[in-house]
Amino acid sequence: MAPVSGSLSRRQLLQLGAAAGLLAACRPANGPELLLVEGELPAAWLKQLPEPWRSRALADPAAVQRAGFPAGQPAPGLVALSDGWASGLARERLQAFGAPRLWARLAPFSAEVARLFGPAGATGELAFPWAYSPWVIALRSRPDLVARRQEGWQLLLDPSLRGRLVLPSSPRISLEIMGGDFERLERLRAQALAYDDRDGLNLLLSGDAEAAVLPLQRLIPLLRRDQRLAVIWPDSGAPLSWQLLVRPAPPQAQAGQAPPPPLEWLGAVLEPSLLESLLAKGWVPPLPQADLAPVARRFPESMAALLLPGDALLGRCWSLPPLSVAAQLAQQNLWDAAAPRP
């Protein structure tokens, strides 16, 4: 009998490496594909994606949309997009999930998003709205403004924030939080240091800005580590952004050949076993508040209040359906007219 050794020989390591490579090669390379933006799906959930499904991450939503809906070419099984990108897709490019029991678990405020803002009962659920995030006010080292949190969005017009405020890249969010009021919008635009929600958090953390309007999801992971940060979710409500999964319709020549969605995997994002890790990263599934409460209350009180805002506050929040061309033009004209004068 060969002596027992505490370490493997080089030959044994090579044999194990070859075996591992063979096993990897045996995994199906042509299974249904999930397309996503890099970093935009929770790792704990993504790693549970069942075989033969495989995931592919691309750099940005535009690349995902191009690859997810190729003209006349085979489409992936699932595509992950935000509501802003998904709601503009032509409905004939999508197919319904056909899983009403899964959608019945979600809170009612997600229903119009699941239909991609189409009429109720028309086509069934075209999207799985697995997470939502309100746009909120993030403050750095401004306890004086935190103490006035009851003023809500009006805080952004405080003279001390002139040139110290980061607003979203999308003018629509600024228009929404100012209620479309021209005078308030004009004052808001005069406050702006930058319009950049992608790098706005960096401007805030570096001290270049003292306030920013950002999705709550990006802030939750930082609140435990950075005591300078505070978040205000205005009592008047906030626009919501959504993370969705959609099923591209196959080309006409391949009708009926689309892979069934991995329903068990989709439902896993709503289960207690995943919820704590999701909430810690700021991903909040639109479950009824009573279902979220046992997990959300494990977090510090200030964080739990953001993860579990209550039905009354959620009822004052709103999602953003796609705009008609006329409405887009009207908003653009209002935005341009409110620009600071030289």
Side-chain angles (χ1 to χ4, degrees):
M1 181 181 293
V4 176
S5 170
S7 60
L8 295 172
S9 69
R10 182 173 181 274
R11 181 179 178 183
Q12 288 171 315
L13 286 170
L14 289 172
Q15 288 173 335
L16 286 174
L22 183 61
L23 285 172
C26 291
R27 292 175 185 165
N30 59 348
E33 189 174 58
L34 162 62
L35 278 187
L36 65 148
V37 178
E38 189 171 358
E40 290 295 298
L41 231 63
W45 186 32
L46 190 58
K47 72 179 182 181
Q48 293 186 13
L49 187 68
E51 292 186 354
W53 283 81
R54 54 203 171 92
S55 63
R56 179 160 62 104
L58 300 178
D60 54 59
V64 168
Q65 191 179 68
R66 285 193 301 270
F69 300 89
Q73 300 296 317
L78 285 173
V79 176
L81 288 169
S82 68
D83 56 326
W85 286 90
S87 61
L89 294 168
R91 305 183 95 69
E92 61 268 19
R93 305 190 73 180
L94 298 169
Q95 57 182 324
F97 282 78
R101 287 188 181 180
L102 180 57
W103 272 253
R105 297 180 60 188
L106 305 181
F109 74 96
S110 69
E112 64 172 356
V113 185
R115 301 191 305 269
L116 290 180
F117 305 100
T123 55
E125 290 83 8
L126 293 174
F128 179 55
W130 63 268
Y132 77 94
S133 183
W135 289 84
V136 295
I137 302 170
L139 296 169
R140 178 187 184 274
S141 302
R142 290 301 305 264
D144 57 321
L145 294 182
V146 175
R148 293 161 47 197
R149 63 187 312 125
Q150 73 280 358
E151 296 178 31
W153 297 114
Q154 192 70 17
L155 277 178
L156 300 178
L157 306 182
D158 189 273
S160 68
L161 291 179
R162 190 176 184 92
R164 306 286 283 169
L165 170 65
V166 179
L167 292 172
S169 306
S170 168
R172 186 176 183 184
I173 303 300
S174 294
L175 284 157
E176 292 279 344
I177 62 178
M178 292 292 108
D181 181 271
F182 176 76
E183 183 183 351
R184 295 178 72 213
L185 184 63
E186 192 174 34
R187 290 172 61 193
L188 182 72
R189 292 206 63 181
Q191 301 280 77
L193 167 69
Y195 301 95
D196 192 347
D197 47 83
R198 180 173 289 273
D199 292 320
L201 188 54
N202 291 333
L203 290 170
L204 193 67
L205 295 175
S206 68
D208 293 316
E210 293 180 350
V213 177
L214 294 166
L216 176 62
Q217 187 273 322
R218 298 184 194 170
L219 296 162
I220 288 291
L222 295 173
L223 291 178
R224 277 178 166 171
R225 305 198 303 266
D226 196 328
Q227 300 302 311
R228 301 168 303 174
L229 291 179
V231 170
I232 296 174
W233 184 339
D235 286 340
S236 59
L240 302 177
S241 62
W242 291 85
Q243 296 296 324
L244 311 176
L245 285 163
V246 295
R247 294 182 72 201
Q252 192 169 8
Q254 297 177 337
Q257 298 181 28
L263 296 180
E264 187 174 346
W265 177 75
L266 293 176
V269 78
L270 309 177
E271 298 297 337
S273 56
L274 268 181
L275 272 179
E276 186 165 359
S277 64
L278 263 64
L279 295 179
K281 298 292 185 181
W283 304 114
V284 184
L287 285 164
Q289 295 285 279
D291 293 352
L292 280 174
V295 180
R297 287 175 181 154
R298 298 174 195 166
F299 291 85
E301 186 177 352
S302 59
M303 287 179 63
L306 295 168
L307 297 169
L308 198 69
D311 290 324
L313 178 51
L314 282 172
R316 294 190 290 272
C317 295
W318 63 97
S319 300
L320 301 176
L323 296 172
S324 67
V325 174
Q328 290 179 46
L329 182 60
Q331 285 203 352
Q332 189 63 55
N333 289 339
L334 182 61
W335 181 253
D336 292 343
R341 294 172 177 81

